[in-house]
Amino acid sequence: MKLWEENIRRVVPYVPGDQPKGERLIKLNTNENPYPPAPGVARALAEMDTAQLRKYPDPGAFQLVRALAKRYGVGEDQVFVGVGSDDVLAMAFLTFFNSDKPVLFPDVTYSFYPVWASLFGIPYETPALDEDFFVRTGDYKKENGGVIFPNPNAPTGLYMPLDQVEEILRANRDVVVIVDEAYIDFAGPSALELISTYENLLVVQTFSKSRSMAGLRIGFAVGSPALIKALSDVKYSYNSYTMNLPSIVMGVEAVKDEAYFCETTKKIVATRERAKARLRELGFRFPDSRANFIFASHRWAPAQQLFEALKNEQIYVRYFHAPRLESSLRISIGTDEEMDALFHFLEEYLKGK
Ligand SMILES: *Cc1c(COP(=O)(O)O)cnc(C)c1O
């Protein structure tokens, strides 16, 4: 090794799902929304005054902060926006997990958490989910440097009822607790209800899934003004212009269209429930997902073989080579037509085995 190489930071990076290109492929591997963004988003893009692009964007993305504060019934000083919730979460790790004690998150969860913890030198522990992939709330009642978990969890899709979220909050008054609600709009009540009671609770959401805008990179956090101020201070010490103008403008349009948002999320939930019934008939089992994906294992067909067979057919799902995960496939919920194509293939494939 050359001497200069010894001082290079080495990390094991997060590996995103494939973004294959092609016309006929069916993409059910990265939990994107199969429907386009709200019609107002296309209009805003068409009408965009591109002369504005010569200027730096508003560093606080205030238009978007204001739209979100109004939509969620909180103060403008309680909202922080970032370039996807990945950016918001990375900033939150850097800002709030600054203790010598370990941060706690489940062993099976969003695989970016251990990557950020390692990158920022944050100690962490990963309490194991139970055999059915449920979080054991009791594991979060010991001394720690902070807590983070997604609700619904990924890749299981399991939703934790708010009384259990609150149980974790009550046991952790002295650290910051982050609830990553990337999939909450497909699930049930949000922990946003609890932010006025718990000053140390940060709720993080994204436009990538329920608002069909993964390509624009918009995420946000809601919490007490003290948390939001701390987060903004760290962000401004790092990069003062994170969100670009088109994203701010189109994000505002998406937030305004409540009717379209409800319609598309309802459609996805209906397709998900139909998919559960079909998958069960085909011999799959899975945790009862409340997200826009299903984490399913087949009674006898190995997951990796299914994954390869589907890929040959241009149907992309997600397969994780990891302990406790390698017998399952994570299947994102597409349109009804896309799901029918998947079921049709699975039926034929399993029949032939
Ligand atoms: C998709 C996802 C995110 C990140 O989404 P962004 O596209 O960066 O907003 C964060 N957490 C979980 C659990 C996710 O599944």
Side-chain angles (χ1 to χ4, degrees):
M1 204 194 285
K2 307 221 173 60
L3 276 177
W4 55 267
E5 287 183 302
E6 283 175 20
N7 289 328
I8 292 179
R9 188 188 298 276
R10 297 195 195 271
V11 291
V12 181
Y14 171 77
V15 183
D18 287 340
Q19 291 294 355
K21 288 169 196 70
E23 281 296 297
R24 243 178 31 86
L25 67 86
I26 297 181
K27 194 170 177 306
L28 307 173
N29 69 336
T30 54
N31 299 343
E32 288 143 340
N33 197 307
Y35 301 109
V41 173
R43 230 176 292 131
L45 181 62
E47 290 166 5
M48 193 160 297
D49 175 9
T50 50
Q52 295 297 322
L53 295 178
R54 69 193 172 75
K55 297 189 293 186
Y56 283 108
D58 168 18
F62 189 67
Q63 274 179 281
L64 184 56
V65 165
R66 189 166 50 195
L68 287 166
K70 188 159 167 247
R71 163 67 175 77
Y72 291 101
V74 296
E76 286 161 3
D77 57 354
Q78 293 187 274
V79 179
F80 173 89
V81 301
V83 184
S85 55
D86 285 339
D87 177 43
V88 176
L89 288 164
M91 285 295 149
F93 266 65
L94 203 50
T95 309
F96 301 120
F97 297 159
N98 192 30
S99 154
D100 299 333
K101 293 173 200 148
V103 164
L104 305 179
F105 50 83
D107 64 337
V108 173
T109 195
Y110 189 34
S111 50
F112 231 136
Y113 300 163
V115 175
W116 287 315
S118 311
L119 179 62
F120 301 141
I122 299 164
Y124 65 95
E125 277 175 22
T126 57
L129 299 178
D130 72 16
E131 320 76 271
D132 298 319
F133 289 123
F134 285 99
V135 170
R136 288 186 281 222
T137 52
D139 291 344
Y140 296 81
K141 295 180 181 174
K142 57 179 174 189
E143 233 192 353
N144 64 67
V147 174
I148 180 165
F149 56 90
N151 195 27
N153 196 8
T156 65
L158 288 172
Y159 172 73
M160 184 193 291
L162 279 194
D163 56 330
Q164 287 177 36
V165 174
E166 198 164 6
E167 194 187 322
I168 292 178
L169 280 160
R170 269 199 302 269
N172 288 283
R173 297 268 190 181
D174 299 332
V175 294
V176 174
V177 176
I178 302 175
V179 184
D180 176 358
E181 294 191 335
Y183 303 103
I184 196 68
D185 299 318
F186 307 109
S190 160
L192 282 171
E193 286 180 24
L194 303 172
I195 55 167
S196 52
T197 315
Y198 298 90
E199 278 196 308
N200 58 325
L201 165 64
L202 191 78
V203 176
V204 178
Q205 295 190 6
T206 175
F207 282 44
S208 298
K209 279 88 185 212
S210 55
R211 294 192 187 273
S212 309
M213 293 166 87
L216 275 187
R217 314 303 304 125
I218 307 176
F220 61 100
V222 182
S224 61
L227 291 186
I228 298 304
K229 163 98 174 43
L231 206 46
S232 302
D233 287 349
V234 169
K235 188 198 94 170
Y236 288 132
S237 318
Y238 175 78
N239 180 354
S240 43
Y241 297 103
T242 49
M243 187 169 289
N244 64 65
L245 180 65
S247 291
I248 296 172
V249 172
M250 289 189 263
V252 170
E253 287 306 317
V255 177
K256 278 199 220 151
D257 198 339
E258 196 62 24
Y260 182 84
F261 169 73
C262 290
E263 182 196 323
T264 47
T265 39
K266 259 198 213 132
K267 266 207 288 209
I268 290 167
V269 168
T271 306
R272 178 188 73 203
E273 294 308 309
R274 200 172 68 87
K276 285 179 187 171
R278 251 340 247 127
L279 286 171
R280 224 173 268 124
E281 285 169 6
L282 289 165
F284 286 88
R285 5 168 174 244
F286 40 85
D288 191 24
S289 171
R290 301 277 291 272
N292 67 337
F293 55 82
I294 297 173
F295 190 60
S297 63
H298 193 261
R299 265 186 287 127
W300 49 262
Q304 193 167 8
Q305 281 176 26
L306 279 171
F307 170 78
E308 296 295 344
L310 285 163
K311 194 167 159 181
N312 278 337
E313 208 56 24
Q314 302 266 67
I315 301 175
Y316 287 78
V317 299
R318 191 85 195 262
Y319 176 69
F320 299 96
H321 255 300
R324 302 190 75 185
L325 305 183
E326 59 208 358
S327 58
S328 301
L329 297 174
R330 192 194 66 188
I331 304 167
S332 306
I333 304 300
T335 61
D336 281 313
E337 297 70 41
E338 288 172 324
M339 301 310 281
D340 284 341
L342 168 79
F343 301 140
H344 179 74
F345 173 78
L346 286 173
E347 195 175 346
E348 296 301 312
Y349 176 84
L350 293 166
K351 227 191 278 172
K353 288 273 144 177

